[in-house]
Amino acid sequence: MAAFIVLLGPPGVGKGTQAKILAETTKLAHVSSGDLFRENIKNQTELGRLAKSFIDKGELVPDDVTISMIRDRIARSDCEAGAILDGFPRTPAQADALENMLTEFGGEVDVVPYITAAESILVERASGRWTCREQGHIYHQTFSPPKKTGVCDMDGSELYQREDDKVETVTKRIRVYLRQTMPLVEYYRKGGKLLEIDGTQAVEQVTKELLSALNK
Ligand code: ADP
Ligand code: ADP
């Protein structure tokens, strides 16, 4: 049965950073809803145009388009053994849709690491984040700076600051998260899948705790 890991946690807590490391280590696919939306925006698709109008405001993209985008992604062959889901599901309707998809594709949610940190840390992390234009590699101006300012260590592409990482928009995204995504914490806790991890720790320590959860 294909194993899906759902990474839960507020904006800026370190989901993307950890998802990339876990994907390398476990050889599972990394499925990031935010990256998929940003790819669509870059390629100027219709989905990208629609998503941008919500992302720029710090609001969630509507469930129907988000669900169908993820469904198409999970149906691809690199997800046959499972995937690290980063940023999806984010609403109860998305969590229900995920259950249905996995029943259809023969997979299950294995474990739900829930990474936490206080709001001040989230704002500090998101507002210092630099993202790689080509593949979404993640840096922080203070905590994990690139070797050369403005250039991705991994693929040499330009680093940029996301429009929605402005302090104002991050604060809004945290409010949206509390209202719309927090119910999933209880949902997965009741299902016995939730594993809480202190996201204020160093990247390596968070990775260590995640890997030990995955190996259980
Ligand atoms: P998310 O996907 O949850 O929004 P990211 O993985 O993009 O979070 O991380 C947000 C920012 O915080 C990035 O700039 C990243 O480099 C930095 N970061 C991630 N994890 C840590 C950590 N454990 N300690 C310090 N900075 C971190
Ligand atoms: P972060 O890593 O900081 O949590 P993401 O890159 O995951 O941010 O998401 C950026 C934006 O993309 C969100 O604020 C939202 O507008 C949109 N988005 C990402 N995932 C979803 C989702 N599952 N449902 C709805 N909107 C989403």
Side-chain angles (χ1 to χ4, degrees):
M1 177 90 76
F4 287 79
I5 318 291
V6 171
L7 286 186
L8 270 188
V13 79
K15 299 180 300 296
T17 300
Q18 297 297 334
K20 285 182 161 47
I21 302 170
L22 293 184
E24 285 254 309
T25 318
T26 61
K27 304 292 171 208
L28 293 174
H30 173 203
V31 174
S32 159
S33 44
D35 284 356
L36 290 169
F37 285 132
R38 284 184 288 277
E39 230 171 84
N40 275 280
I41 292 171
K42 190 167 78 178
N43 297 332
Q44 303 186 350
T45 68
E46 186 141 349
L47 170 63
R49 268 189 291 279
L50 174 80
K52 188 175 187 323
S53 64
F54 293 93
I55 292 174
D56 285 350
K57 286 185 285 189
E59 288 167 10
L60 294 185
V61 179
D63 281 334
D64 53 348
V65 291
T66 303
I67 290 165
S68 83
M69 175 181 78
I70 293 292
R71 192 179 184 288
D72 290 348
R73 178 66 191 85
I74 288 179
R76 278 165 49 183
S77 60
D78 64 333
C79 293
E80 254 164 36
I84 315 282
L85 301 184
D86 162 18
F88 180 91
R90 246 173 162 101
T91 64
Q94 292 179 16
D96 287 344
L98 176 63
E99 292 302 324
N100 293 335
M101 282 177 223
L102 295 187
T103 305
E104 186 189 337
F105 297 145
E108 64 180 358
V109 173
D110 203 32
V111 55
V112 182
Y114 169 42
I115 313 177
T116 60
E119 176 156 347
S120 58
I121 292 181
L122 304 175
V123 174
E124 188 184 27
R125 286 188 182 173
S127 56
R129 169 161 51 195
W130 286 80
T131 304
C132 140
R133 194 71 80 184
E134 208 51 54
Q135 297 182 69
H137 296 117
I138 303 160
Y139 299 86
H140 189 280
Q141 57 194 26
T142 316
F143 307 132
S144 58
K147 293 198 184 81
K148 188 162 171 237
T149 307
V151 181
C152 179
D153 292 351
M154 316 284 268
D155 60 28
S157 77
E158 180 203 15
L159 300 180
Y160 73 102
Q161 286 188 290
R162 279 166 47 181
E163 193 61 34
D164 64 339
D165 276 343
K166 285 183 301 206
V167 173
E168 254 173 52
T169 316
V170 174
T171 311
K172 166 85 178 285
R173 283 159 57 204
I174 294 170
R175 282 206 307 278
V176 166
Y177 163 83
L178 292 173
R179 196 171 60 238
Q180 306 201 60
T181 309
M182 272 306 267
L184 297 191
V185 170
E186 286 320 308
Y187 171 81
Y188 287 116
R189 200 196 303 276
K190 280 197 194 112
K193 305 257 166 101
L194 201 78
L195 180 100
E196 219 162 314
I197 293 180
D198 174 6
T200 64
Q201 306 175 98
V203 170
E204 297 70 27
Q205 185 59 29
V206 175
T207 303
K208 211 169 132 188
E209 295 187 12
L210 283 166
L211 286 175
S212 90
L214 264 48
N215 287 329
K216 274 192 195 128

